[in-house]
Structures are given as C-alpha cells and as structure tokens.
Amino acid sequence: MKSSEKDRLAAQVESHWVDFQSALSDKRKYPAQPFRAFFEAARRYAELTKSDPLIHTKVVAAVNGLTDFLQVERKRVPGQVLCDADRLECLLFSGYDPHFEGDEPPGL
C-alpha cells in the first residue's frame, strides 16, 4: 500500500476519534454514531495495513487501551460499543478478528 493512502486513512481515524471524544461531552446520550464512524475508519485502517509492520502513532494512541478508556469514561456503556472496542484492539494489535459472523464452528 502506498504511504499516502496509509496517511489518509490514519488522518480519518484521528478525525473520527476527535469527533467521538467531543461527542462524549454530552452526558445525556451515548454517542453511538460517532463511535461507529471511528470504529469503521479504524477497522478499514487495520484491514488495509495488516501486513505492514509499522502503524501510525495517531492510530495507536486512539486504539491502545480503548476498552478500558470507555469503561472508565462512563458508568453505562452500550455492550456493542465495548465489543467493538475489544474487536478493534484485536484487529490492530494482534492481527486477527475475534468476530466470527458466519464462520462459527458447527453446533454453536
């Protein structure tokens, strides 16, 4: 992958991360849509750079410890948000997707 494409994707991840953090200031409603936009941008980045040994520090800063951050930031966090945060950490740092959808072993 060209480094310009990698840079563009990293900038999108950072932009969505900033939008999500800004949306967290509204304590009445959980900002699920801004989180979803961040998750999708970071997932695309992780998928397109999975064979690259180097990743942007901006992306690392946004995703590293994400699940813990979300749990500490609010008392009530939607379960899907925590699952997606954990999935994102696995995709980016471990190189695998723990979400099976359609690939479940027989009998589950």
Side-chain angles (χ1 to χ4, degrees):
M1 175 190 317
K2 295 181 180 179
S3 105
S4 62
E5 178 72 7
K6 189 175 170 181
D7 293 340
R8 186 184 66 75
L9 288 171
Q12 281 182 349
V13 171
E14 182 184 27
S15 173
H16 287 299
W17 174 243
V18 169
D19 292 344
F20 173 64
Q21 286 183 314
S22 295
L24 282 172
S25 64
D26 179 11
K27 298 296 182 184
R28 286 180 259 136
K29 183 178 174 192
Y30 198 84
Q33 288 293 12
F35 176 79
R36 196 88 195 120
F38 165 70
F39 171 76
E40 289 300 327
R43 186 182 57 76
R44 279 192 309 274
Y45 180 87
E47 286 176 359
L48 291 173
T49 60
K50 100 170 62 170
S51 62
D52 195 343
L54 300 175
I55 56 178
H56 275 70
T57 57
K58 294 174 184 178
V59 176
V60 171
V63 177
N64 187 33
L66 179 62
T67 306
D68 294 334
F69 167 76
L70 294 174
Q71 289 174 332
V72 170
E73 200 278 327
R74 292 261 178 108
K75 290 180 183 177
R76 300 179 84 186
V77 180
Q80 187 61 45
V81 169
L82 293 176
C83 286
D84 286 344
D86 189 48
R87 180 180 178 195
L88 197 53
E89 288 178 335
C90 288
L91 278 169
L92 195 63
F93 300 122
S94 299
Y96 76 95
D97 190 352
H99 186 71
F100 287 113
E101 192 169 324
D103 297 331
E104 294 90 354
L108 288 181

